[in-house]
């Protein structure tokens, strides 16, 4: 069977989290369970959360050998308060978010994430969620489509793509990933090796799974659930996510803030994090050549003070 998902920057994440015996880690994006397995091997207890039933099932089976050292939970990590609360846990020593989709979701055409194979317009990580790509593409207004193509896809031809979608769907609904990819390719010129529909697909996926909204709400909660000296590690795969995480971490890592109009710097009321590095870590050239998905990865690490 082909690999479920190849975990990214495992060595760097292990070095940052030090998941030794006695520590408890919340892996908010369990996926194929690769990072969790690495934590478990070093002795930590792991709570592995994923909103995708298929990933959860796969990883649960893979990590069965660790017995009660590992606890799988189906859910959205934005509900970390409730997930940990239900387990009677207040704080953990490490939290990992390895954002976005897993490789199996992309490779399985029936999930509708990709234009490499034909599938229904779906893109839900949680297949019980109400909002699918079909709803976004066929029911959202032209203005809403322009907004998501611009802000989540950074698509320069957002207006043209939205207009074409509205024109085509007036005849009959768009049903499949290839129909949508072909439509986009008619109005967006191919200027690089990437398929011209890449940015539009990214935008729809982010909208369907509320990815930026979820990330924005979880950051504050995650810090609250970290024990002192606990580590927050976040792997991002595009600039929108990375910007959000960077601003969050930087804003909370300065003891003092200063403004030109103030006579002297003031204590930062949000100060709660220490950053081992203010810059994001990136995968080695060797990892990028082995795993193309690693090429866009950025790892940001913060320690609770
Ligand atoms: C990049 S993969 C994680 C891969 C994993 N670290 C590994 O080593 O195999 C991201 C996973 O997180 C899940 N996911 C993404 N956003 C989520 C969210 N808000 N709540 C729960 N799971 C989420 C996806 O379903 C996917 O399985």
């Amino acid at each position: 069977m082909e690999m479920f998902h190849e975990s990214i920057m495992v060595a760097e994440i292990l070095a940052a989290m030090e998941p030794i015996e006695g520590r408890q880690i919340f892996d908010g994006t369990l996926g194929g369970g690769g990072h969790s397995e690495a934590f478990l091997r070093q002795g930590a207890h792991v709570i592995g959360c994923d909103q995708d039933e298929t990933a959860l099932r796969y990883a649960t089976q893979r990590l069965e050998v660790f017995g009660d050292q590992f606890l799988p939970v189906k859910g959205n990590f934005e509900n970390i308060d409730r997930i940990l609360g239900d387990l009677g846990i207040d704080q953990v020593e490490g939290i990992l978010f390895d954002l976005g989709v897993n490789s199996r979701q992309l490779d399985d055409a029936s999930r509708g994430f990709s234009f490499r194979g034909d599938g229904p317009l779906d893109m839900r990580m949680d297949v019980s969620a109400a909002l699918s790509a079909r709803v976004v593409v066929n029911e959202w207004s032209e203005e809403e489509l322009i907004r998501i193509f611009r802000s989540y896809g950074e698509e320069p031809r957002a207006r043209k793509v939205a207009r074409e979608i509205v024109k085509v769907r007036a005849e009959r609904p768009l049903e499949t990933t290839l129909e949508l990819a072909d439509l986009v390719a008619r109005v967006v010129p191919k200027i690089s090796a990437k398929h011209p529909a890449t940015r539009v697909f990214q935008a729809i996926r982010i909208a369907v799974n509320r990815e930026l909204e979820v990330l924005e709400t979880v950051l504050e909660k995650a810090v609250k659930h970290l024990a002192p000296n606990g580590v927050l590690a976040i792997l991002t795969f595009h600039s929108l996510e990375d910007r959000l995480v960077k601003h969050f971490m930087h804003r909370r890592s300065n003891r003092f803030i200063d403004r030109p109009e103030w006579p002297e710097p003031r204590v930062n009321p949000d100060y709660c994090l220490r950053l081992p590095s203010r810059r994001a870590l990136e995968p080695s050239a060797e990892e990028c050549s082995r795993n193309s998905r690693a090429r866009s990865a950025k790892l940001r690490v913060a320690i609770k003070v």
Side-chain angles (χ1 to χ4, degrees), residues 1 167 247 262 280:
M1 194 161 90
K167 193 177 101 193
H247 287 156
W262 293 346

Side-chain angles (χ1 to χ4, degrees), residues 96-107:
L96 170 67
F97 299 121
D98 171 10
L99 298 172
V101 286
N102 65 55
S103 307
R104 179 62 58 84
Q105 288 164 332
L106 287 176
D107 294 342

Side-chain angles (χ1 to χ4, degrees), residues 18 71 76 104 111 123 127 141 170 216 268 296-297:
E18 296 181 278
L71 189 72
N76 191 310
R104 179 62 58 84
R111 300 295 301 267
M123 304 198 198
V127 294
S141 69
E216 208 163 0
N268 177 4
S296 50

Side-chain angles (χ1 to χ4, degrees), residues 4-8 27-36 49-52 55 62 75-78 96 98-103 105 125 209 211 214 237 293:
F4 194 96
H5 183 89
E6 188 168 351
S7 305
I8 290 173
D27 181 351
T29 50
L30 179 64
H35 288 113
S36 276
C49 160
D50 203 298
Q51 58 179 331
D52 181 340
R62 170 176 179 178
N76 191 310
F77 62 59
E78 71 175 328
L96 170 67
D98 171 10
L99 298 172
V101 286
N102 65 55
S103 307
Q105 288 164 332
M125 293 189 211
N209 297 288
E211 288 175 41
V214 165
F237 293 88
R293 193 171 177 272

